[in-house]
Amino acid sequence: MKINAAHLTYCTNIHPGETWPETFVALKKHFPEIRASIAGEEPMGVGLRLSNLASLGLLADEDNLAEFIQWLSNNHAYVFTMNGFPYGGFHDTIVKDQVHAPDWTTADRLEYTLRLFNILSKLLPDGLQGGISTSPLSYKPWHAAGEARDAAKAVATKNILTVAEALFEKHRSTGILMHLDIEPEPDGFLESGPEFMDWFEKDLLPQGILSMGEKFNLSPADAEAAIKRHINLCYDVCHFAIGYEEHERIIDELLTKGIHVGKIQISAALKALLPEEMTLREEVTNALARFNEPTYLHQVIAKTGNGKLIRYPDLPEALADSRNNAVTEWRSHFHVPVFVEDMEHVQSTQADIVRVLNKFKDTPFTQHLEVETYTWTVLPEELKAPLSQSIIRELNWVKEQL
């Protein structure tokens, strides 16, 4: 479904299923109802998530891919974006920091991502660019700061450039344009807009201009253009809001530098304003504690009265420091429904989504919009609702903003 020249969908990582048959069953169960409600008779894109196991299964028999392509056609659906961040199990298992595994220092991550692009190239409609979002290289706590982390980043960058080279060759030989959309996240190697841009300009471009120039006989300018075409940013609004980032400034800086946003992931973080009065503060922290669940990482970035930021690796560590009177606000990596702003004692960063979408309306800086709330099964009971109806409500809310 197109809005303002961009394609709007939701990410199917919200549907449990790690094998291809499980993934396909979930799509057939939910997507037709959602598409009919949101798009009417118009086609609507699928934000497809395939685990490593599902990607192998889809390609194991050529009939699988043919059946899926026919199903897409029969249901007025198409695939334009994929989520290649979670490699393995993502539901009904403890995920936590393993969402980053294997990271970009490994051959497994590289092979999985290239396989996803192979699949996307077969699904992508003619004339439409395709993107796959991925992890922010690695998870900082896995690598000691200093030489060890720098070495790991260098290996990850080299593997990212291998993808860029493959996408360049595909584009040159077939005209199919695809991009890898790197998704900064708290405690990732790339946490923020400034960290992403710094890595892009100081690590990715210098290495890539040299390697792609030699491999393809490209001028420095042409090699830079190829890297910028095929390596993009995934702008996850939840992740950027957790870091209190100034969205308009970040987006303007990206545009000035010619770095593309491959996809906006429309998502809301959990937010809480912490009163000085201890009784009221306890009411807020008790409300936050209800979101402390064992499946996903819920990094917290706290803000003090003087603007200093304090980082906690997960909600339990933040809750243990809840009596720190210097802290005035918490933001946590817990994707809450985008249509909810006030949850009594806690809030969401819905206003950040509005700011990003308003910027997009003024300056359409991407062609891909994807709602990503994957936490429906672990939300407090009062926020849970039938899954398809919840997704429809989220997409309708986004349509209203646009």
Side-chain angles (χ1 to χ4, degrees), residues 92-372:
D92 303 320
T93 186
I94 296 175
V95 180
K96 293 296 183 181
D97 63 346
Q98 292 304 300
V99 72
H100 293 276
D103 67 12
W104 272 101
T105 67
T106 67
D108 285 344
R109 172 63 67 174
L110 175 59
E111 291 166 3
Y112 165 60
T113 305
L114 290 173
R115 189 184 314 118
L116 292 183
F117 275 115
N118 178 32
I119 292 169
L120 182 58
S121 70
K122 300 175 189 301
L123 300 175
L124 196 62
D126 291 343
L128 187 59
Q129 62 173 254
I132 297 177
S133 51
T134 192
S135 75
L137 307 189
S138 189
Y139 183 58
K140 280 180 178 174
W142 292 348
H143 307 271
E147 291 184 4
R149 193 172 292 170
D150 290 343
K153 185 181 290 185
V155 174
T157 302
K158 183 179 179 182
N159 284 334
I160 294 288
L161 285 169
T162 299
V163 175
E165 291 171 359
L167 298 181
F168 174 81
E169 288 188 292
K170 174 67 77 171
H171 184 232
R172 185 171 64 173
S173 62
T174 68
I176 297 173
L177 173 57
M178 297 182 290
H179 40 80
L180 182 65
D181 305 331
I182 297 175
E183 183 179 336
E185 176 178 306
D187 291 335
F189 267 19
L190 308 176
E191 295 197 49
S192 63
E195 281 195 2
F196 173 84
M197 288 184 275
D198 188 65
W199 165 78
F200 198 101
E201 293 189 321
K202 295 180 180 178
D203 296 289
L204 185 72
L205 281 180
Q207 292 182 44
I209 289 171
L210 183 62
S211 64
M212 292 189 72
E214 290 178 351
K215 184 169 183 176
F216 300 110
N217 194 28
L218 299 176
S219 69
D222 287 344
E224 178 176 340
I227 295 164
K228 287 182 173 179
R229 185 163 57 243
H230 297 297
I231 306 298
N232 292 185
L233 172 70
C234 174
Y235 200 106
D236 187 301
V237 184
C238 167
H239 298 172
F240 281 70
I242 296 165
Y244 305 86
E245 298 209 42
E246 299 175 23
H247 302 289
E248 296 85 356
R249 182 180 64 81
I250 294 295
I251 293 164
D252 283 340
E253 192 170 351
L254 289 164
L255 292 170
T256 298
K257 293 175 181 294
I259 300 174
H260 301 299
V261 175
K263 170 166 63 178
I264 301 174
Q265 279 188 328
I266 302 168
S267 53
L270 185 62
K271 180 176 84 170
L273 303 177
L274 298 173
E276 288 187 18
E277 203 281 311
M278 197 51 63
T279 302
L280 296 176
R281 179 176 284 248
E282 287 179 358
E283 290 180 353
V284 173
T285 54
N286 287 339
L288 285 166
R290 299 181 64 244
F291 291 84
N292 183 24
E293 58 81 35
T295 304
Y296 302 109
L297 261 184
H298 301 299
Q299 306 94 314
V300 174
I301 301 181
K303 192 173 188 178
T304 65
N306 62 9
K308 179 184 175 183
L309 300 182
I310 302 173
R311 298 173 183 275
Y312 303 95
D314 208 344
L315 258 173
E317 291 83 357
L319 290 167
D321 196 34
S322 63
R323 299 179 74 85
N324 183 345
N325 282 331
V327 171
T328 58
E329 184 175 349
W330 277 6
R331 295 189 180 187
S332 177
H333 182 204
F334 196 120
H335 288 218
V336 292
V338 301
F339 51 74
V340 175
E341 183 173 25
D342 187 19
M343 294 165 276
E344 194 173 1
H345 295 298
V346 296
Q347 299 81 41
S348 80
T349 58
Q350 185 192 81
D352 288 71
I353 299 175
V354 174
R355 286 173 59 187
V356 172
L357 293 182
N358 282 340
K359 181 67 175 177
F360 167 78
K361 286 191 291 185
D362 291 340
T363 309
F365 55 88
T366 186
Q367 294 183 20
H368 295 174
L369 306 173
E370 180 184 63
V371 176
E372 193 207 21

